[in-house]
Amino acid sequence: MDALRPGDPARIGGHRLLGRLGAGGMGVVYLGRTEAGALAAIKVILPECAGDEDFRTRFRRETEAARRVDSPWAVPVTGADTESETPWLATEFVPGPTLSEVVARCGPLPTRSVHVLGRLLSRALTAVHGAGLVHRDVKPGNVLLTADGPRLIDFGIARAAEATALTATGLVVGTPGFLPPEQATGAGAGAGPEGDVFSLGCLLAYAATGRPPFGSGAVDALLYRTVHDEPDLAGVDDPALRALLGECLAKDPAARPAAADLDTRIAEDVPGDGASADWLPEDVARMIAERSAAMLALPDIEATVNTSATTPAPAPARRRFLTLAAGGAVALGAGTFAAVRLIGDEPDGRSGASPAGRRWIIGVHADLTGAQKAAGRAQERGVRLAVDRFNSRTDKPFTLAVKVLDDGGDPARSVRVAEEFARDRDVLAVIGPTGDAATGAALPAYDEAVLPLLTVSSLQISYPARVNAAFFQASPSYAALSMPIVNRLLLRPDVERLGVLIDRSGGQAAYQEGYATNLMTPSLTTGTTHPRVVPAGTSDLGPVIADLLGHRSDALFYAGDAAGGARAARALAATPFKGPSMAQHTAMRPEFLERAGEAAEGWEFIAPFTDAGGVSGEPGVPGAADFVTAHRKRFGAAPAAWSAEAYDVTGLVAQEVAALVGSATKGGAGPTGSPTATPSGGTSSGSTPSGGTPSAGTPSADGRPGRAALVAAIAASRYEGISRTYAFDEERQQLVGQDAHLYRAEGGRYRYLGPAPKPKS
């Protein structure tokens, strides 16, 4: 809860206001206390909305609908005034934790708790359906737990069962993982009460097992499994509960029981009046008691003093930032080495062999002829420049060469490229692949050979399991990028709700980043989201843009490709909307500017690549001048996106190879070497596997570091590049930190605005 502001009222409808619970495009929600001491959540409508007769009519209908729901297990309306100059609606305030909080903190609930939960929530839904409404968003986050039972909340997207659909065909309403197949297909905007029963089945399965019955992950995969796969009910040991969940989760709506039938079929006794929380485990009961005690301890706050009717509320941190442990802390690798200076004195930088006559290879695994050929070519050039710089050193202990293989963006071809690099004993490490699918396909070959692989442009949230940990994701994942996206769009005074448009035309990149942005918003901020998913090839985005704005979205994020981004920009330009709009970096292509035209103006992008002086045509990041000069000299053009990142990771590899060679020369493991530590903490005996390549952990006769030793060195490294600081977490070897870059479409081009802003948490 946030403190009241000087401009906030002291009282509303007989309630003394204690603090702010939240705010949105239509109003502010306060925590209030009646003269009798009862707490209430009070929604107060903004004056500009109250003056809109259409809005007032909708608010009146919402209030009337909420009043029709009569159940002790649904949060009731306790008061309202829809006709006053400042309309408001009050509901009972429930201090208990959500079911999602409880399961995340305490684990799955025992069978009796799930039975009680199911029986009482079925009664809540019976009341909802009896009032002629469909909830349409039954999920763990919309269920509060109290000592005497659960409470169903949030009727924000509930609508009359017979009402005309407010969303276009093909759009998804609700929360993926907890919505019925008829909504998951996009054809069920008018899904009926049977859909709520399916969602309740998902919720109860989650409560019993700790996981949604159709898994988690990318939105598209969730929707597909919801429509086509059987639910995962492993861990539901009670036969009666398992059978009941199976019926609730039937694909055919007609095969599901009605909510009223569930009440009679669940035999578990429910808490009576004044009951303690003995229907819940002890740790959950304690959690509920702590929340309730905190509310009872609220001080008897004095009335708010509005010092001046003309003085605005102070500017400030209108949005509260919530610390996210998973993404907030930045831990650097423990081992650091002296950096190799890659900027030499010779202008060309391409010299002969090292005095020792040792010449080893950096591989480039890239898409040079497929859909991502521009990124692949830029990365190849970055690698070549880094190798030039290293070879320009007069004291270099070895010479580097570049070997480039093209996979064309084809996963099958990517496997063959990986196998060829793995067989070449002179290849120290490989930079690439360019795309997500090619990277996933190639990983087994690189992992088996313990050949270090560093990608700068494959951003998947997760990859197939690996044994030797030779793969490094030297770029922020789609999930990591969602954090600066949320920070940029919601940590501002004029935004409370983010509309998220996920376009299936963008493939997994759109699903993962769009879903992560939707998920992170309530975790990182006090804001809310209104997500929508549209099928691939949707040509008219006008209806979905209208729906996002109709649900009070005051900022928009588009996840998809350049063509879809242009359609979204044109549709948005046809509305009065003036709020911030952003598209995923995958849409940041010339095609977006060309197709969107003037509608592209002002759109922003959070990108994982920096501007070293070429992407926007303006001076780039500090410290990149030598890199830009060398790039122009060698290739006759400014660096493109992804070139600086490839340059950096090649420098990182050269740094670690030089450090290993230097250590051996100064008395460490010699050419024939003593056993060398492997990434897993074991040692390498120096034997040669069947492929003919010396053991990955032992230096070769010419002093070349073993591959496993190089993997371990990279994992422990810290490297200051021109695009970011590189360090990897120990568990998954993903890039540490949330560094990203901000661009804006201005005047028919992309302007670099600098590093993406980070919250002051």
Side-chain angles (χ1 to χ4, degrees):
M1 182 179 71
D2 293 330
L4 293 172
R5 299 175 186 170
D8 286 332
R11 293 178 176 273
I12 285 287
H15 301 83
R16 173 175 288 182
L17 302 188
L18 305 179
R20 280 181 166 228
L21 295 174
M26 63 175 284
V28 180
V29 181
Y30 297 99
L31 176 64
R33 177 181 281 153
T34 67
E35 294 300 328
L39 294 175
I42 306 155
K43 181 191 296 183
V44 179
I45 305 306
L46 295 175
E48 55 267 35
C49 294
D52 183 333
E53 191 54 41
D54 288 341
F55 179 88
R56 188 181 284 269
T57 299
R58 290 195 302 272
F59 181 63
R60 187 182 299 117
R61 288 175 179 170
E62 175 190 343
T63 302
E64 291 171 354
R67 285 185 183 277
R68 295 204 304 267
V69 179
D70 182 15
S71 170
W73 315 116
V75 174
V77 173
T78 58
D81 187 344
T82 61
E83 309 306 322
S84 70
E85 184 177 350
T86 305
W88 57 273
L89 169 70
T91 62
E92 176 187 313
F93 178 75
V94 179
T98 65
L99 176 62
S100 55
E101 288 181 89
V102 164
V103 172
R105 186 164 150 184
C106 305
L109 298 179
T111 298
R112 183 188 175 224
S113 299
V114 177
H115 278 145
V116 172
L117 193 66
R119 190 167 193 184
L120 298 184
L121 289 179
S122 71
R123 293 180 181 178
L125 287 178
T126 298
V128 170
H129 300 161
L133 300 175
V134 183
H135 190 286
R136 297 200 303 167
D137 200 21
V138 178
K139 62 181 180 180
N142 279 342
V143 172
L144 299 173
L145 300 185
T146 72
D148 64 349
R151 299 291 190 278
L152 181 64
I153 64 170
D154 195 353
F155 293 83
I157 62 175
R159 54 193 277 284
E162 72 281 1
T164 302
L166 299 176
T167 53
T169 300
L171 307 184
V172 174
V173 179
T175 302
F178 294 92
L179 48 75
E182 56 269 29
Q183 284 177 240
T185 58
E194 302 86 357
D196 284 347
V197 171
F198 186 96
S199 298
L200 178 61
C202 293
L203 179 148
L204 296 176
Y206 170 84
T209 65
R211 63 183 186 279
F214 297 99
S216 57
V219 172
D220 188 62
L222 268 174
L223 299 178
Y224 181 90
R225 290 194 293 267
T226 299
V227 174
H228 299 286
D229 293 356
E230 291 302 311
D232 176 12
L233 299 179
V236 182
D237 299 325
D238 182 72
L241 178 60
R242 190 183 185 97
L244 190 64
L245 293 181
E247 292 184 44
C248 292
L249 297 174
K251 305 297 184 190
D252 180 4
R256 301 170 200 153
D261 294 335
L262 294 177
D263 181 18
T264 60
R265 292 181 55 181
I266 299 174
E268 187 62 57
D269 291 335
V270 299
D273 292 339
S276 65
D278 62 354
W279 67 282
L280 290 167
E282 183 178 345
D283 52 350
V284 178
R286 189 181 309 114
M287 191 174 175
I288 292 172
E290 290 170 356
R291 294 287 178 91
S292 299
M295 288 298 103
L296 291 173
L298 282 171
D300 190 15
I301 297 174
E302 295 299 323
T304 304
V305 178
N306 188 351
T307 56
S308 171
T310 60
T311 302
R318 286 221 14 204
R319 179 154 302 290
R320 177 166 50 94
F321 182 81
L322 308 179
T323 302
L324 181 67
V330 176
L332 298 177
T336 58
F337 299 84
V340 175
R341 183 172 175 77
L342 298 184
I343 304 299
D345 296 326
E346 297 184 25
D348 186 85
R350 283 170 280 177
S351 59
S354 66
R358 296 180 288 198
R359 179 178 175 276
W360 302 321
I361 296 171
I362 300 293
V364 179
H365 181 158
D367 176 1
L368 301 177
T369 54
Q372 293 181 275
K373 60 185 178 183
R377 185 64 66 190
Q379 290 175 34
E380 178 196 350
R381 290 179 171 184
V383 173
R384 289 191 184 279
L385 283 180
V387 167
D388 286 353
R389 289 295 178 266
F390 181 82
N391 288 342
S392 72
R393 291 179 50 185
T394 57
D395 62 341
K396 57 185 175 294
F398 51 85
T399 300
L400 290 175
V402 179
K403 178 178 179 178
V404 182
L405 295 178
D406 174 24
D407 65 21
D410 176 27
R413 191 166 158 186
S414 179
V415 173
R416 295 193 293 273
V417 167
E419 290 171 345
E420 175 161 341
F421 274 131
R423 286 192 297 267
D424 190 336
R425 64 187 301 273
D426 288 328
V427 175
L428 296 174
V430 175
I431 311 304
T434 312
D436 293 332
T439 301
L443 281 182
Y446 286 114
D447 191 58
E448 183 178 358
V450 202
L451 176 56
L453 178 70
L454 299 91
T455 182
V456 298
S457 56
S458 179
L459 313 182
Q460 288 189 164
I461 295 175
S462 62
Y463 294 87
R466 302 172 298 281
V467 175
N468 293 308
F471 172 60
F472 297 88
Q473 188 180 29
S475 56
S477 69
Y478 297 120
L481 285 176
S482 72
M483 298 179 192
I485 289 169
V486 171
N487 296 340
R488 177 67 176 175
L489 290 175
L490 283 108
L491 296 184
R492 57 174 75 200
D494 56 341
V495 174
E496 296 292 346
R497 174 168 289 194
L498 176 63
V500 180
L501 200 172
I502 302 173
D503 189 341
R504 296 180 185 176
S505 297
Q508 282 296 320
Y511 308 143
Q512 292 189 22
E513 193 162 314
Y515 181 75
T517 299
N518 181 59
L519 186 67
M520 288 298 177
T521 295
S523 298
L524 291 171
T525 76
T526 56
T528 59
T529 62
H530 185 66
R532 286 293 178 266
V533 180
V534 298
T538 301
S539 58
D540 182 9
L541 293 181
V544 72
I545 291 294
D547 180 71
L548 291 171
L549 300 183
H551 283 79
R552 309 183 307 280
S553 299
D554 36 26
L556 294 179
F557 175 66
Y558 169 84
D561 60 8
R567 288 192 291 271
R570 291 197 306 271
L572 188 62
T575 74
F577 181 79
K578 300 299 181 185
S581 52
M582 180 180 287
Q584 188 177 17
H585 75 275
T586 51
M588 190 183 150
R589 298 172 182 254
E591 183 182 3
F592 174 82
L593 298 175
E594 295 164 3
R595 294 194 179 191
E598 293 182 0
E601 194 73 11
W603 277 71
E604 292 186 346
F605 306 83
I606 295 291
F609 48 78
T610 190
D611 184 6
V615 177
S616 68
E618 297 181 348
V621 295
D626 290 335
F627 167 71
V628 174
T629 299
H631 196 286
R632 288 184 180 276
K633 180 177 180 180
R634 177 155 189 193
F635 302 113
W642 302 112
S643 185
E645 287 72 23
Y647 178 88
D648 282 345
V649 296
T650 306
L652 184 158
V653 170
Q655 165 186 290
E656 299 310 321
V657 174
L660 289 171
V661 170
S663 176
T665 302
K666 292 176 182 178
T672 56
S674 54
T676 305
T678 66
S680 60
T683 59
S684 173
S685 64
S687 60
T688 301
S690 58
T693 302
S695 171
T698 305
S700 64
D702 62 357
R704 181 179 66 252
R707 287 175 172 176
L710 182 55
V711 166
I714 293 172
S717 67
R718 185 180 188 277
Y719 183 77
E720 296 290 342
I722 60 177
S723 59
R724 59 170 51 88
T725 297
Y726 289 83
F728 302 97
D729 70 52
E730 296 180 2
E731 182 179 351
R732 294 187 293 173
Q733 299 187 179
Q734 289 181 317
L735 186 71
V736 170
Q738 301 171 21
D739 293 329
H741 301 273
L742 179 63
Y743 296 82
R744 180 184 296 142
E746 290 184 0
R749 63 186 178 88
Y750 295 113
R751 180 187 172 200
Y752 179 59
L753 301 183
K758 296 181 180 180
K760 297 177 182 179
S761 57

